[in-house]
Amino acid sequence: MTDENANEETATGPGPAGLCAGRVVVVTGAGRGLGRAHALAYAAEGARVVVNDLGVRPDGSAARDAGGPADEVAAEIRAAGGEAVAHGGDVATPCGAASLVATALGTYGRLDTLVNNAGFVRDRMLVNLAEDEWDAVLRVHLKGHFLPLQHAAAHWRAEAKDGRNPRARVVNTSSGAGLAGSVGQANYSAAKAGVLGLTLVAAAELGRYGVQVNAIAPAARTRMTERTFAETMAAPTDGTFDAMDPGNVSPLVVWLGSAASEGVTGRVFGVEGGRITVMEGWHPGPTADKHARRTPAEAGGTARRLLAEAAVPEPVYGAG
Protein backbone atom coordinates (compact mmCIF):
# COMPACT_ATOMS: atom_id res chain seq x y z
CA MET A 1 0.00 0.00 0.00
CA THR A 2 1.24 3.47 -0.89
CA ASP A 3 0.50 6.50 1.28
CA GLU A 4 0.32 9.82 -0.52
CA ASN A 5 1.07 13.22 0.91
CA ALA A 6 -1.91 15.57 0.86
CA ASN A 7 0.23 18.32 -0.67
CA GLU A 8 1.19 16.01 -3.52
CA GLU A 9 -2.47 15.30 -4.20
CA THR A 10 -3.43 18.96 -4.47
CA ALA A 11 -0.36 19.90 -6.44
CA THR A 12 -1.44 17.86 -9.45
CA GLY A 13 -4.52 19.93 -10.33
CA PRO A 14 -5.41 20.63 -13.95
CA GLY A 15 -4.96 24.40 -13.91
CA PRO A 16 -7.45 27.15 -14.72
CA ALA A 17 -8.81 25.61 -17.92
CA GLY A 18 -9.95 22.41 -16.22
CA LEU A 19 -9.02 18.82 -16.95
CA CYS A 20 -12.14 18.30 -19.12
CA ALA A 21 -12.43 21.71 -20.78
CA GLY A 22 -14.22 21.36 -24.10
CA ARG A 23 -15.42 17.81 -23.46
CA VAL A 24 -19.06 16.73 -23.44
CA VAL A 25 -19.86 14.21 -20.74
CA VAL A 26 -22.98 12.10 -20.18
CA VAL A 27 -23.63 10.79 -16.67
CA THR A 28 -26.53 8.38 -16.09
CA GLY A 29 -28.26 8.26 -12.72
CA ALA A 30 -26.83 11.70 -12.02
CA GLY A 31 -29.66 13.15 -9.96
CA ARG A 32 -28.35 11.93 -6.62
CA GLY A 33 -25.48 10.19 -4.88
CA LEU A 34 -22.45 9.16 -6.91
CA GLY A 35 -23.91 10.31 -10.22
CA ARG A 36 -24.62 13.80 -8.92
CA ALA A 37 -21.11 14.03 -7.48
CA HIS A 38 -19.64 12.95 -10.83
CA ALA A 39 -21.72 15.46 -12.79
CA LEU A 40 -20.69 18.33 -10.51
CA ALA A 41 -17.04 17.28 -10.59
CA TYR A 42 -16.97 17.11 -14.39
CA ALA A 43 -18.59 20.54 -14.63
CA ALA A 44 -16.02 21.93 -12.19
CA GLU A 45 -13.32 20.69 -14.58
CA GLY A 46 -14.84 22.50 -17.56
CA ALA A 47 -17.01 19.77 -19.10
CA ARG A 48 -20.45 20.32 -20.56
CA VAL A 49 -22.66 17.74 -18.88
CA VAL A 50 -25.76 15.80 -19.87
CA VAL A 51 -27.41 14.92 -16.55
CA ASN A 52 -29.57 11.82 -16.85
CA ASP A 53 -31.94 10.62 -14.13
CA LEU A 54 -35.40 9.09 -13.99
CA GLY A 55 -36.04 10.36 -10.47
CA VAL A 56 -37.20 6.97 -9.17
CA ARG A 57 -37.11 5.62 -5.61
CA PRO A 58 -34.18 3.49 -4.37
CA ASP A 59 -36.00 0.31 -5.48
CA GLY A 60 -36.72 1.71 -8.95
CA SER A 61 -40.42 2.41 -8.37
CA ALA A 62 -41.89 5.62 -9.70
CA ALA A 63 -41.67 8.75 -7.58
CA ARG A 64 -43.66 11.96 -7.66
CA ASP A 65 -40.53 13.89 -8.57
CA ALA A 66 -39.72 11.69 -11.56
CA GLY A 67 -37.18 13.53 -13.70
CA GLY A 68 -36.87 16.30 -11.13
CA PRO A 69 -33.42 15.43 -9.75
CA ALA A 70 -31.85 15.68 -13.21
CA ASP A 71 -33.29 19.16 -13.67
CA GLU A 72 -32.06 20.19 -10.21
CA VAL A 73 -28.47 19.03 -10.81
CA ALA A 74 -28.37 20.64 -14.27
CA ALA A 75 -29.65 23.89 -12.74
CA GLU A 76 -27.03 23.63 -9.98
CA ILE A 77 -24.27 23.33 -12.58
CA ARG A 78 -25.58 26.28 -14.57
CA ALA A 79 -25.92 28.40 -11.42
CA ALA A 80 -22.23 27.80 -10.77
CA GLY A 81 -21.36 29.04 -14.26
CA GLY A 82 -21.17 25.68 -16.01
CA GLU A 83 -23.09 24.16 -18.90
CA ALA A 84 -25.55 21.32 -18.42
CA VAL A 85 -28.75 19.89 -19.81
CA ALA A 86 -31.14 17.44 -18.15
CA HIS A 87 -32.28 14.15 -19.68
CA GLY A 88 -35.09 12.18 -18.08
CA GLY A 89 -35.19 9.12 -20.33
CA ASP A 90 -34.91 5.48 -19.30
CA VAL A 91 -31.44 4.39 -20.42
CA ALA A 92 -32.38 0.71 -20.10
CA THR A 93 -34.59 1.09 -23.19
CA PRO A 94 -33.34 1.47 -26.77
CA CYS A 95 -35.26 4.73 -27.21
CA GLY A 96 -34.00 6.17 -23.94
CA ALA A 97 -30.39 5.28 -24.69
CA ALA A 98 -30.63 6.63 -28.22
CA SER A 99 -32.17 9.89 -27.01
CA LEU A 100 -29.42 10.22 -24.38
CA VAL A 101 -26.71 10.23 -27.06
CA ALA A 102 -28.89 12.39 -29.31
CA THR A 103 -29.28 14.95 -26.50
CA ALA A 104 -25.51 15.33 -26.20
CA LEU A 105 -25.05 15.64 -29.95
CA GLY A 106 -28.05 17.89 -30.47
CA THR A 107 -27.21 20.22 -27.60
CA TYR A 108 -23.43 20.39 -27.77
CA GLY A 109 -22.53 18.85 -31.14
CA ARG A 110 -20.30 16.12 -29.73
CA LEU A 111 -19.92 13.35 -27.15
CA ASP A 112 -16.60 12.57 -25.47
CA THR A 113 -17.32 10.65 -22.28
CA LEU A 114 -20.04 8.30 -21.06
CA VAL A 115 -20.32 7.51 -17.35
CA ASN A 116 -22.71 4.61 -16.74
CA ASN A 117 -23.94 4.93 -13.17
CA ALA A 118 -27.74 4.47 -13.05
CA GLY A 119 -29.10 1.73 -10.83
CA PHE A 120 -31.24 0.65 -7.92
CA VAL A 121 -31.51 -2.33 -5.57
CA ARG A 122 -34.18 -4.86 -4.61
CA ASP A 123 -32.45 -6.93 -1.98
CA ARG A 124 -33.67 -10.40 -1.01
CA MET A 125 -32.13 -13.65 0.12
CA LEU A 126 -31.82 -15.99 -2.85
CA VAL A 127 -34.69 -18.30 -1.92
CA ASN A 128 -37.03 -15.31 -1.53
CA LEU A 129 -35.92 -13.42 -4.63
CA ALA A 130 -38.82 -13.00 -7.04
CA GLU A 131 -38.26 -13.24 -10.77
CA ASP A 132 -39.40 -9.66 -11.34
CA GLU A 133 -36.91 -8.46 -8.70
CA TRP A 134 -34.14 -10.34 -10.51
CA ASP A 135 -35.21 -8.97 -13.91
CA ALA A 136 -35.59 -5.37 -12.73
CA VAL A 137 -32.11 -5.16 -11.20
CA LEU A 138 -30.39 -6.91 -14.12
CA ARG A 139 -32.25 -4.59 -16.46
CA VAL A 140 -31.23 -1.29 -14.91
CA HIS A 141 -27.63 -2.18 -14.05
CA LEU A 142 -26.59 -4.40 -16.95
CA LYS A 143 -28.90 -3.44 -19.80
CA GLY A 144 -28.67 0.15 -18.56
CA HIS A 145 -24.92 -0.06 -19.17
CA PHE A 146 -25.10 -1.94 -22.45
CA LEU A 147 -27.57 0.23 -24.35
CA PRO A 148 -25.97 3.67 -23.73
CA LEU A 149 -22.56 2.13 -24.42
CA GLN A 150 -23.79 0.60 -27.67
CA HIS A 151 -25.31 3.85 -28.94
CA ALA A 152 -22.29 5.91 -27.93
CA ALA A 153 -19.93 3.36 -29.49
CA ALA A 154 -21.83 3.45 -32.78
CA HIS A 155 -21.37 7.21 -32.88
CA TRP A 156 -17.65 7.00 -32.08
CA ARG A 157 -17.10 4.27 -34.65
CA ALA A 158 -18.73 6.47 -37.30
CA GLU A 159 -16.53 9.38 -36.20
CA ALA A 160 -13.40 7.23 -36.48
CA LYS A 161 -14.37 5.94 -39.92
CA ASP A 162 -14.84 9.55 -41.05
CA GLY A 163 -11.32 10.35 -39.91
CA ARG A 164 -12.23 12.45 -36.86
CA ASN A 165 -10.32 10.20 -34.40
CA PRO A 166 -12.25 10.36 -31.11
CA ARG A 167 -10.49 10.39 -27.77
CA ALA A 168 -13.57 8.89 -26.19
CA ARG A 169 -13.91 7.50 -22.69
CA VAL A 170 -16.38 5.22 -20.92
CA VAL A 171 -16.49 4.72 -17.16
CA ASN A 172 -18.72 1.86 -16.01
CA THR A 173 -19.87 1.33 -12.44
CA SER A 174 -19.45 -2.09 -10.86
CA SER A 175 -19.29 -2.83 -7.14
CA GLY A 176 -17.55 -4.85 -4.50
CA ALA A 177 -20.65 -7.04 -4.75
CA GLY A 178 -19.72 -7.76 -8.36
CA LEU A 179 -16.15 -8.59 -7.41
CA ALA A 180 -16.78 -10.69 -4.31
CA GLY A 181 -20.55 -11.25 -4.02
CA SER A 182 -22.88 -9.94 -1.33
CA VAL A 183 -25.33 -11.91 0.81
CA GLY A 184 -28.89 -10.86 0.07
CA GLN A 185 -27.92 -9.30 -3.25
CA ALA A 186 -27.78 -12.13 -5.77
CA ASN A 187 -29.43 -10.00 -8.47
CA TYR A 188 -27.23 -6.96 -7.82
CA SER A 189 -24.03 -9.02 -7.54
CA ALA A 190 -24.75 -10.84 -10.79
CA ALA A 191 -25.48 -7.57 -12.60
CA LYS A 192 -22.34 -5.88 -11.31
CA ALA A 193 -20.21 -8.89 -12.23
CA GLY A 194 -21.73 -8.66 -15.69
CA VAL A 195 -20.65 -5.02 -15.90
CA LEU A 196 -17.04 -6.17 -15.43
CA GLY A 197 -17.29 -8.62 -18.32
CA LEU A 198 -18.94 -5.98 -20.50
CA THR A 199 -16.13 -3.54 -19.67
CA LEU A 200 -13.40 -5.97 -20.72
CA VAL A 201 -15.10 -6.85 -24.01
CA ALA A 202 -15.89 -3.21 -24.84
CA ALA A 203 -12.30 -2.16 -24.13
CA ALA A 204 -11.01 -4.86 -26.47
CA GLU A 205 -13.49 -4.13 -29.27
CA LEU A 206 -13.59 -0.34 -29.22
CA GLY A 207 -9.93 0.55 -28.82
CA ARG A 208 -9.49 0.66 -32.59
CA TYR A 209 -11.98 3.55 -32.69
CA GLY A 210 -10.21 5.64 -30.05
CA VAL A 211 -12.47 4.56 -27.18
CA GLN A 212 -11.14 3.64 -23.73
CA VAL A 213 -13.41 1.69 -21.38
CA ASN A 214 -12.76 1.23 -17.66
CA ALA A 215 -14.81 0.39 -14.58
CA ILE A 216 -14.90 1.42 -10.94
CA ALA A 217 -16.03 -0.48 -7.87
CA PRO A 218 -16.87 2.38 -5.49
CA ALA A 219 -17.79 2.45 -1.83
CA ALA A 220 -19.71 5.53 -0.77
CA ARG A 221 -22.81 6.73 1.03
CA THR A 222 -25.78 6.70 -1.34
CA ARG A 223 -29.47 5.89 -1.12
CA MET A 224 -28.65 2.30 -2.10
CA THR A 225 -26.04 1.78 0.62
CA GLU A 226 -27.47 3.78 3.51
CA ARG A 227 -30.10 1.20 4.41
CA THR A 228 -27.74 -1.79 4.23
CA PHE A 229 -24.67 -0.20 5.81
CA ALA A 230 -26.25 2.54 7.92
CA GLU A 231 -23.66 2.48 10.71
CA THR A 232 -20.49 2.24 8.62
CA MET A 233 -21.78 4.74 6.04
CA ALA A 234 -22.78 7.45 8.53
CA ALA A 235 -21.14 10.84 8.09
CA PRO A 236 -18.75 11.83 10.92
CA THR A 237 -19.93 14.57 13.23
CA ASP A 238 -16.52 15.64 14.51
CA GLY A 239 -15.24 17.33 11.37
CA THR A 240 -12.90 14.50 10.40
CA PHE A 241 -12.53 13.23 6.83
CA ASP A 242 -15.80 11.77 5.56
CA ALA A 243 -14.53 8.64 3.82
CA MET A 244 -18.00 7.72 2.59
CA ASP A 245 -18.76 11.03 0.86
CA PRO A 246 -19.62 10.19 -2.79
CA GLY A 247 -17.48 13.12 -3.90
CA ASN A 248 -14.36 11.16 -2.94
CA VAL A 249 -14.99 8.77 -5.84
CA SER A 250 -15.46 11.43 -8.51
CA PRO A 251 -11.86 12.66 -9.00
CA LEU A 252 -10.79 9.29 -10.42
CA VAL A 253 -13.95 9.11 -12.55
CA VAL A 254 -13.18 12.57 -13.95
CA TRP A 255 -9.59 11.60 -14.73
CA LEU A 256 -10.66 8.35 -16.41
CA GLY A 257 -13.15 10.36 -18.49
CA SER A 258 -10.55 12.89 -19.59
CA ALA A 259 -7.96 12.88 -22.35
CA ALA A 260 -5.29 12.74 -19.61
CA SER A 261 -6.04 9.03 -19.07
CA GLU A 262 -4.59 8.12 -22.49
CA GLY A 263 -3.53 4.47 -22.61
CA VAL A 264 -5.61 3.29 -19.63
CA THR A 265 -8.31 0.86 -20.73
CA GLY A 266 -9.82 -2.44 -19.69
CA ARG A 267 -9.04 -1.74 -16.03
CA VAL A 268 -11.08 -1.95 -12.84
CA PHE A 269 -10.42 0.39 -9.93
CA GLY A 270 -11.62 0.10 -6.36
CA VAL A 271 -12.35 3.57 -4.94
CA GLU A 272 -13.20 4.34 -1.33
CA GLY A 273 -12.48 7.52 0.61
CA GLY A 274 -8.90 8.45 -0.18
CA ARG A 275 -7.96 4.95 -1.36
CA ILE A 276 -7.59 3.88 -5.00
CA THR A 277 -6.87 0.23 -5.77
CA VAL A 278 -6.19 -1.43 -9.11
CA MET A 279 -8.30 -4.59 -8.94
CA GLU A 280 -6.72 -7.73 -10.34
CA GLY A 281 -9.35 -10.24 -11.36
CA TRP A 282 -9.49 -13.93 -12.15
CA HIS A 283 -6.12 -15.37 -13.12
CA PRO A 284 -4.77 -18.93 -13.31
CA GLY A 285 -3.73 -20.42 -9.99
CA PRO A 286 -2.42 -23.92 -9.20
CA THR A 287 -2.77 -26.20 -12.23
CA ALA A 288 -2.29 -29.91 -12.96
CA ASP A 289 -2.42 -31.49 -16.43
CA LYS A 290 -2.56 -35.31 -16.75
CA HIS A 291 -2.67 -35.16 -20.57
CA ALA A 292 -5.39 -37.78 -20.38
CA ARG A 293 -8.95 -38.10 -19.14
CA ARG A 294 -9.43 -38.57 -15.40
CA THR A 295 -12.04 -40.60 -13.59
CA PRO A 296 -14.38 -38.57 -11.38
CA ALA A 297 -12.50 -39.76 -8.30
CA GLU A 298 -9.19 -38.75 -9.85
CA ALA A 299 -10.58 -35.34 -10.81
CA GLY A 300 -11.75 -34.84 -7.24
CA GLY A 301 -8.40 -35.83 -5.80
CA THR A 302 -6.60 -33.45 -8.14
CA ALA A 303 -9.02 -30.63 -7.30
CA ARG A 304 -8.41 -31.09 -3.58
CA ARG A 305 -4.63 -31.06 -3.99
CA LEU A 306 -4.81 -27.88 -6.05
CA LEU A 307 -7.15 -26.22 -3.56
CA ALA A 308 -4.65 -26.93 -0.81
CA GLU A 309 -2.08 -24.90 -2.78
CA ALA A 310 -4.46 -22.09 -3.75
CA ALA A 311 -5.01 -18.77 -2.03
CA VAL A 312 -8.07 -18.53 0.21
CA PRO A 313 -10.76 -16.49 -1.60
CA GLU A 314 -12.05 -13.22 -0.24
CA PRO A 315 -15.23 -13.71 1.80
CA VAL A 316 -18.57 -12.74 0.34
CA TYR A 317 -19.89 -9.50 1.89
CA GLY A 318 -22.20 -10.36 4.78
CA ALA A 319 -21.12 -13.99 5.05
CA GLY A 320 -20.29 -15.57 8.38
Side-chain angles (χ1 to χ4, degrees):
M1 179 180 293
T2 301
D3 291 327
E4 297 187 42
N5 184 284
N7 292 329
E8 181 182 354
E9 289 281 340
T10 57
T12 57
L19 192 66
C20 293
R23 293 181 73 82
V24 173
V25 178
V26 168
V27 184
T28 70
R32 303 180 179 93
L34 283 167
R36 174 181 175 273
H38 299 340
L40 295 175
Y42 272 110
E45 291 292 335
R48 293 166 286 176
V49 186
V50 178
V51 180
N52 163 266
D53 203 282
L54 271 176
V56 297
R57 295 189 174 96
D59 66 353
S61 59
R64 285 179 296 180
D65 62 347
D71 292 318
E72 292 170 5
V73 174
E76 187 175 355
I77 290 172
R78 291 192 296 268
E83 295 184 61
V85 61
H87 178 270
D90 183 353
V91 297
T93 67
C95 289
S99 70
L100 179 67
V101 173
T103 296
L105 298 177
T107 305
Y108 300 119
R110 60 185 296 140
L111 172 60
D112 300 287
T113 299
L114 168 65
V115 179
N116 283 314
N117 171 78
F120 55 74
V121 290
R122 294 187 184 178
D123 295 348
R124 296 283 187 277
M125 299 301 283
L126 184 61
V127 296
N128 296 320
L129 184 61
E131 183 179 2
D132 65 334
E133 293 169 331
W134 172 273
D135 289 344
V137 171
L138 267 288
R139 175 185 178 275
V140 68
H141 287 282
L142 195 50
K143 196 172 183 181
H145 270 64
F146 160 65
L147 287 173
L149 175 55
Q150 184 182 54
H151 284 276
H155 164 70
W156 289 323
R157 181 181 63 175
E159 290 285 287
K161 288 186 174 182
D162 286 342
R164 286 188 282 273
N165 301 320
R167 299 180 74 185
R169 306 288 186 261
V170 178
V171 184
N172 291 330
T173 306
S174 184
S175 168
L179 293 163
S182 179
V183 171
Q185 292 188 309
N187 47 5
Y188 180 73
S189 297
K192 289 306 192 182
V195 167
L196 298 174
L198 176 64
T199 298
L200 299 180
V201 172
E205 291 185 358
L206 301 179
R208 72 191 71 178
Y209 306 123
V211 184
Q212 296 182 181
V213 187
N214 294 285
I216 60 166
R221 183 174 54 255
T222 69
R223 293 192 306 164
M224 290 199 304
T225 59
E226 279 180 325
R227 293 182 302 172
T228 306
F229 306 106
E231 293 184 5
T232 57
M233 292 287 179
T237 58
D238 58 359
T240 57
F241 175 57
D242 183 359
M244 292 294 105
D245 186 330
N248 299 327
V249 176
S250 300
L252 179 64
V253 174
V254 170
W255 183 80
L256 288 171
S258 74
S261 64
E262 185 67 32
V264 179
T265 193
R267 294 288 195 163
V268 180
F269 296 87
V271 195
E272 177 182 346
R275 181 189 300 124
I276 296 174
T277 304
V278 177
M279 307 305 296
E280 298 179 339
W282 294 105
H283 57 274
T287 304
D289 189 348
K290 184 181 178 182
H291 300 289
R293 183 180 300 172
R294 294 180 173 85
T295 67
E298 287 175 330
T302 300
R304 287 195 178 278
R305 287 194 298 275
L306 295 175
L307 287 169
E309 302 171 16
V312 177
E314 292 292 321
V316 172
Y317 291 135

